Amino acid sequence: MDTEAQHTERDPSSPADPQPDPATDDGSRSVRVSGTSAGTPETPEDDEDDEGGAGRGPSWRRTGLVGAACVVFLLLLSHFVAQPFLIPSGSMEPTLQVGDRILVNKLAYRFGSEPRRGDVVVFDGTGSFVQEERAGDPVTGLVRDAAAALGLAAPDETDFVKRVVGVGGDRVVCCDAKGRLSVNGVRVREPYLTPGDRPSDVPFDIVVPPGTLWVMGDHRSQSSDSRDHLGSPGGGMVPVDKVVGRADWIVWPVARWTTVTETDAYDSVPAPPAGGHTVGPRGSGHG
């Protein structure tokens, strides 16, 4: 060991090393042995290289943690602020088309505000449009719900997107002799309807109970909405506390990247009378 270390450090072009002094030989040996084979001390970079190049780039663990943190952030954002929602049917055409991905503003009604006539809303139809909770494997359901929350999968079967036509206390009637819908006695012109569609092929005369909404699709001939649940428990009304949020933006495809246009169709509709409405002879609602 001692002989090999001395031989490695000797420069062939330099004079021979003097003979070691027995009195100091142990100290010299310790210096020579602690060095590298080239006589250069080891550096921290050498240690990192010996450990497999840990400092050369982010490890797969770091990448996985960053990815997981991004997913958690998006899920929290989706749960509390804005949720992507995939449009699965043509019931809201031409406003929303099949395959559109919208962002639902969950803060729109969070601080005391309530849906207004003309708003396009996403709501949970359990108890109004759908009577039974969806059953299935909980793990599969969790994964599916997470994918839907990120806009990567179709929404849950209990989620719907429709336009608010009547709010609590309103009397909504359809249709008059000219096929027009009226709210609180005022005829409403609906420019958002699919061209060629009538306001409704199903006559109705209802009063919306407080805390609920009467909702309809823009493609009336292809929409299953409040009209289809007149005889169901709740009479087709959607509780306000079941509203997930307001559809404010179309974010995909890029060619349709825009806001969901607000309508002035209900600007002239008055508030319902303080004493409430009476329901006409065709009424199936409450009042």
Side-chain angles (χ1 to χ4, degrees), residues 1-10 29 32-34:
M1 177 67 178
D2 187 27
T3 304
E4 181 180 354
Q6 293 177 21
H7 175 73
T8 301
E9 290 189 1
R10 182 179 299 117
R29 182 184 299 116
R32 293 187 180 112
V33 173
S34 63

Side-chain angles (χ1 to χ4, degrees), residues 31 36 45 93 116 201 244 264:
V31 171
T36 63
E45 289 78 9
E93 292 175 341
R116 302 179 303 170
D201 291 327
V244 175
D264 59 0

Side-chain angles (χ1 to χ4, degrees), residues 53-104:
R56 296 176 182 174
S59 67
W60 66 268
R61 291 187 182 87
R62 187 182 307 169
T63 302
L65 288 174
V66 171
C70 289
V71 170
V72 170
F73 173 77
L74 290 175
L75 288 174
L76 290 174
L77 188 71
S78 173
H79 185 74
F80 293 106
V81 181
Q83 177 180 344
F85 188 89
L86 175 65
I87 302 301
S89 73
S91 68
M92 282 297 295
E93 292 175 341
T95 305
L96 303 175
Q97 298 180 6
V98 178
D100 281 354
R101 282 178 170 80
I102 61 175
L103 272 184
V104 178

Side-chain angles (χ1 to χ4, degrees), residues 97-118:
Q97 298 180 6
V98 178
D100 281 354
R101 282 178 170 80
I102 61 175
L103 272 184
V104 178
N105 182 0
K106 290 192 167 185
L107 299 180
Y109 311 124
R110 187 64 60 86
F111 303 105
S113 298
E114 291 193 351
R116 302 179 303 170
R117 305 179 197 98

Side-chain angles (χ1 to χ4, degrees), residues 104-167:
V104 178
N105 182 0
K106 290 192 167 185
L107 299 180
Y109 311 124
R110 187 64 60 86
F111 303 105
S113 298
E114 291 193 351
R116 302 179 303 170
R117 305 179 197 98
D119 286 356
V120 177
V121 298
V122 172
F123 60 92
D124 178 5
T126 304
S128 56
F129 283 28
V130 179
Q131 299 306 315
E132 297 292 335
E133 290 280 0
R134 177 173 55 87
D137 178 65
V139 176
T140 302
L142 183 62
V143 173
R144 186 182 183 283
D145 289 345
L150 297 175
L152 302 177
D156 195 280
E157 294 178 358
T158 63
D159 290 341
F160 298 86
V161 55
K162 303 293 178 188
R163 188 179 297 273
V164 177
V165 174
V167 298

